[in-house]
C-alpha cells in the first residue's frame, strides 16, 4: 500500500507555493543592497586621473581661440597611446573623436601631433575620427546609428572603448535652443545613452557664454555632467574695470590654463598651464607652409608672473618649476642633512645631495616623448633650465653637490614666521655645479 503525503491545509500550503511561483527579483534600476556594497560592480574610476571619469559624461568648455579642441585632441591621444597627460595617470583604450565642427582641421591637428611626437605613420594607435555630420537633437535615429557604428569600430580593436569625444556640442545639435532645460536635457540624455550602450566615457567640447565666465546656454549643461574642465587664457588682474593682460611665455606665446571646475566625487581646482606650438606639416602647391598646432608646456624659465595685486607676495612658479621645487622639498624630507664641512651655512638650514633631487624630479616628469633616450634628454634640459632659473631668483641655493631651499616666499603662500634665511649661494664659495 502506497504511503501518501500528509494532507496540508490550503492556508498552510499557499505561502510556500507562492514562493516558487513568484519570478526572481531583477532590478530595472540597478539596485545595490547594503550587504552587497563590497561585491564586484561598477566603481568610480578615473580614465585620466583628476580629470575624466570612466563611463561618465564630462565637459571641456572654453571661449573661441583658447585651445579647447587642441586640449581635447591631446587628451584623447594620451588615452589612445596610454601615456601620461600633463603628469596625470591615464588608462589606455580606444578613442573615437566626432569631429562635428571641423573634420579637416582635426586631421591637420592629428598630423601635427604625430610629427611633433615622432610617431611613425604606420604605428597602430586606437584613435578613430568620425568626419560626417551627426544630429543628436532632432530624434533618436542618428544616436542609434552612431551607437551601432561605435560598437562596430570597437569590435575591430583588442583594447576596450575608453572615450568618445564630441567636438562640439552645438555642432551635433542643429536647431536646438541651448537656453532651455528641455533641449539641453534631450542632448545630455542621448549622451548618457551612448555611455550606457558603449561603456565608454563621453567628453563634450562646448563654448563659453559671451562674458566668458561659464558654459554657454542653460545651467543644466554644467549641472548634469560629472566632470568639467575650463579652458581660458592666463591673464593679470584687471584694474578699474579694464581686463587684465594675457600672460605670454618666453617665446611670446599666449599662456592658457586648464582648470577642473567640477569633479563630482573628486578634487576640483586642479590646474595646468599650456601653450600652442605651431608645427609645419607640409607645403601647398604654392610651396607655402601648411601648419597646425600642438599642446605643450609654456617656456617660462622659472616664473609665469607675479600676483598683480601685490608684487611683494613673491613669484608664481610654472608647473615644471614647482615640480623641481617639490623634488627638493621631498628629497630634504627623506635625505636632508645639516650642512657638511665646506658649506658655510647655519646648522639650522638643511641641505640635500643633488642626486636625490634629480631622481625625485625624473620620477615625476610628465613628458610623453615615447623614447627613453628622448625622455632622459628632456629631463636633463628641464633640470638645468629650472635649477638655474630658481637659483637666479633666490628660491634655491646650491654649493658643490648640495642643494637647499632658501625660504623665499612664493605667490599664494602665507607670510613666513621670522627665521634664519639661507642665501642662494654662500659667500666666498667657488661653485660651478651645473643642474644636469
Amino acid at each position: 500500500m502506497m504511503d501518501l503525503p500528509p494532507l496540508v491545509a490550503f492556508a498552510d500550503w499557499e505561502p510556500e507555493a507562492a514562493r516558487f511561483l513568484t519570478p526572481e527579483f531583477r532590478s530595472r534600476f540597478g539596485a545595490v543592497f547594503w550587504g552587497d556594497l563590497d561585491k564586484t560592480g561598477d566603481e568610480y574610476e578615473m580614465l585620466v586621473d583628476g580629470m575624466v571619469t570612466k563611463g561618465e559624461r564630462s565637459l571641456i568648455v572654453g571661449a573661441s581661440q583658447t585651445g579647447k579642441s587642441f586640449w581635447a585632441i591631446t587628451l584623447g591621444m594620451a588615452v589612445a597611446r596610454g601615456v601620461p597627460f600633463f603628469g596625470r595617470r591615464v588608462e589606455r583604450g580606444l578613442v573615437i573623436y566626432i569631429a562635428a565642427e571641423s573634420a579637416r582641421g582635426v586631421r591637420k591637428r592629428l598630423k601635427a601631433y604625430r610629427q611633433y611626437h615622432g610617431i611613425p605613420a604606420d604605428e597602430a594607435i586606437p584613435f578613430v575620427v568620425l568626419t560626417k555630420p551627426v544630429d543628436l537633437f532632432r530624434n533618436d535615429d542618428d544616436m542609434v546609428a552612431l551607437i551601432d557604428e561605435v560598437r562596430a569600430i570597437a569590435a575591430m580593436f583588442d583594447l576596450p572603448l575608453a572615450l568618445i569625444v564630441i567636438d562640439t556640442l552645438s555642432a551635433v545639435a542643429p536647431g536646438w535652443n541651448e537656453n532651455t532645460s528641455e533641449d539641453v536635457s534631450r542632448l545630455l540624455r542621448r549622451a548618457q545613452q551612448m555611455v550606457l550602450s558603449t561603456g565608454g566615457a563621453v567628453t563634450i567640447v562646448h563654448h563659453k557664454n559671451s562674458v566668458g565666465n561659464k558654459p554657454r546656454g542653460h545651467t543644466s549643461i554644467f549641472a548634469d555632467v560629472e566632470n568639467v574642465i575650463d579652458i581660458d587664457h592666463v591673464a593679470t588682474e584687471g584694474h578699474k574695470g579694464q581686463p587684465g593682460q594675457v600672460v605670454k611665455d618666453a617665446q611670446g606665446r599666449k599662456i592658457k590654463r586648464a582648470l577642473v571646475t567640477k569633479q563630482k566625487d573628486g578634487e576640483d581646482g586642479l590646474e595646468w598651464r599650456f601653450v600652442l606650438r605651431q608645427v609645419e606639416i607640409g607645403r601647398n602647391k604654392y610651396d607655402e607652409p601648411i601648419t597646425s598646432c600642438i599642446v605643450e608646456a609654456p617656456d617660462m624659465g622659472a616664473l609665469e608672473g607675479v600676483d598683480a595685486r601685490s608684487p611683494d607676495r613673491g613669484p608664481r612658479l610654472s608647473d615644471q618649476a614647482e615640480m623641481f621645487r617639490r623634488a627638493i622639498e621631498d628629497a630634504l624630507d627623506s635625505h636632508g642633512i645639516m650642512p657638511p664641512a665646506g658649506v658655510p651655512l647655519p646648522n639650522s638650514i638643511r641641505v640635500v645631495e643633488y642626486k636625490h633631487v634629480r631622481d625625485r624630479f625624473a620620477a615625476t616628469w610628465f613628458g610623453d616623448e615615447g623614447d627613453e633616450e628622448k625622455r632622459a634628454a628632456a629631463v636633463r634640459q628641464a633640470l638645468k633650465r629650472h635649477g638655474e632659473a630658481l637659483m637666479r631668483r633666490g628660491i634655491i641655493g646650491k654649493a658643490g653637490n648640495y642643494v637647499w631651499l632658501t625660504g623665499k616666499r612664493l605667490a599664494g603662500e602665507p607670510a613666513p614666521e621670522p627665521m634664519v634665511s639661507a642665501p642662494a649661494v654662500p659667500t666666498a664659495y667657488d661653485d660651478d655645479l651645473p643642474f644636469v
Side-chain angles (χ1 to χ4, degrees):
M1 182 172 165
M2 293 179 57
D3 292 330
L4 297 176
L7 294 175
V8 179
F10 180 78
D12 295 331
W13 172 81
E14 184 180 22
E16 188 69 15
R19 186 171 65 86
F20 287 102
L21 295 175
T22 302
E24 181 182 357
F25 171 73
R26 293 183 182 275
S27 173
R28 290 179 55 193
F29 306 103
V32 178
F33 293 88
W34 177 260
D36 298 332
L37 288 177
D38 295 324
K39 292 184 178 179
T40 302
D42 293 335
E43 298 288 345
Y44 187 86
E45 297 179 278
M46 300 304 297
L47 179 63
V48 181
D49 187 36
M51 293 189 203
V52 180
T53 315
K54 290 177 66 176
E56 302 278 12
R57 298 166 302 176
S58 60
L59 193 68
I60 296 175
V61 59
S64 296
Q65 306 299 311
T66 54
K68 58 185 179 295
S69 291
F70 289 98
W71 178 270
I73 288 172
T74 310
L75 184 150
M77 284 301 300
V79 172
R81 296 174 63 204
V83 297
F85 182 62
F86 277 80
R88 312 303 291 193
R89 187 174 58 252
V90 168
E91 185 158 329
R92 192 182 187 200
L94 169 64
V95 176
I96 296 180
Y97 198 101
I98 302 171
E101 191 166 88
S102 176
R104 289 184 180 179
V106 169
R107 293 181 67 174
K108 285 177 61 180
R109 293 165 191 176
L110 289 171
K111 289 178 181 179
Y113 181 97
R114 182 182 66 190
Q115 180 172 316
Y116 177 76
H117 290 279
I119 302 171
D122 58 354
E123 182 175 334
I125 294 179
F127 190 103
V128 178
V129 182
L130 301 186
T131 61
K132 295 292 181 68
V134 177
D135 186 345
L136 297 179
F137 174 67
R138 184 178 49 160
N139 53 45
D140 289 337
D141 292 352
D142 271 14
M143 181 197 69
V144 172
L146 180 60
I147 289 172
D148 289 343
E149 182 155 330
V150 167
R151 285 172 167 170
I153 292 171
M156 303 176 189
F157 292 85
D158 294 330
L159 289 168
L161 174 68
L163 179 65
I164 301 170
V165 180
I166 298 174
D167 186 4
T168 60
L169 181 58
S170 58
V172 298
W176 78 319
N177 184 346
E178 62 189 17
N179 295 308
T180 67
S181 61
E182 181 181 0
D183 285 9
V184 170
S185 295
R186 186 189 303 182
L187 260 295
L188 294 180
R189 187 165 57 247
R190 287 178 178 144
Q192 180 64 11
Q193 187 58 51
M194 291 171 63
V195 169
L196 296 174
S197 299
T198 67
V202 172
T203 292
I204 303 167
V205 181
H206 187 45
H207 299 278
K208 279 187 176 180
N209 61 4
S210 58
V211 180
N213 61 357
K214 64 179 182 179
R216 197 175 70 192
H218 195 267
T219 55
S220 58
I221 294 176
F222 180 93
D224 293 347
V225 297
E226 284 67 36
N227 321 120
V228 178
I229 301 172
D230 184 291
I231 309 294
D232 208 341
H233 289 109
V234 175
T236 60
E237 185 171 311
H239 181 64
K240 294 184 178 180
Q242 296 300 313
Q245 297 295 312
V246 174
V247 178
K248 297 181 180 181
D249 75 350
Q251 299 182 38
R253 301 172 297 184
K254 295 179 180 179
I255 301 178
K256 308 162 195 302
R257 63 106 178 99
L259 175 67
V260 177
T261 56
K262 183 179 181 182
Q263 191 74 269
K264 271 195 172 178
D265 289 281
E267 179 186 3
D268 59 17
L270 297 174
E271 180 179 324
W272 299 267
R273 304 286 177 92
F274 68 99
V275 294
L276 298 181
R277 173 173 178 166
Q278 191 174 71
V279 176
E280 183 177 327
I281 59 174
R283 314 286 293 188
N284 64 17
K285 62 182 180 180
Y286 305 107
D287 198 32
E288 297 168 336
I290 301 171
T291 64
S292 187
C293 292
I294 57 89
V295 167
E296 69 174 9
D299 176 13
M300 292 299 290
L303 301 178
E304 290 187 358
V306 297
D307 191 314
R309 295 166 298 177
S310 180
D312 64 343
R313 293 187 181 184
R316 185 180 301 278
L317 300 184
S318 69
D319 292 339
Q320 288 188 23
E322 176 61 13
M323 282 173 56
F324 189 100
R325 192 194 66 79
R326 287 184 180 177
I328 297 176
E329 197 170 67
D330 292 343
L332 283 167
D333 284 343
S334 55
H335 299 284
I337 59 173
M338 289 191 301
V343 179
L345 290 172
N347 287 339
S348 59
I349 304 299
R350 297 205 310 166
V351 301
V352 65
E353 286 188 85
Y354 177 69
K355 65 180 182 180
H356 299 303
V357 178
R358 179 194 60 212
D359 293 344
R360 291 300 180 99
F361 183 85
T364 58
W365 177 251
F366 60 72
D368 58 352
E369 291 77 15
D371 179 277
E372 282 302 316
E373 188 173 333
K374 290 182 180 178
R375 174 186 169 85
V379 170
R380 286 195 299 272
Q381 185 180 17
L383 282 166
K384 184 176 188 300
R385 182 172 69 249
H386 298 302
E388 292 176 352
L390 288 174
M391 188 171 170
R392 283 197 307 270
R393 298 288 177 171
I395 296 169
I396 67 172
K398 69 183 179 74
N401 293 319
Y402 296 94
V403 184
W404 60 91
L405 296 173
T406 64
K408 182 174 181 177
R409 185 182 180 189
L410 302 176
E413 290 185 343
E417 295 293 329
M419 58 175 290
V420 176
S421 60
V425 181
T427 56
Y429 191 92
D430 181 17
D431 171 57
D432 60 356
L433 173 69
F435 281 93
V436 295

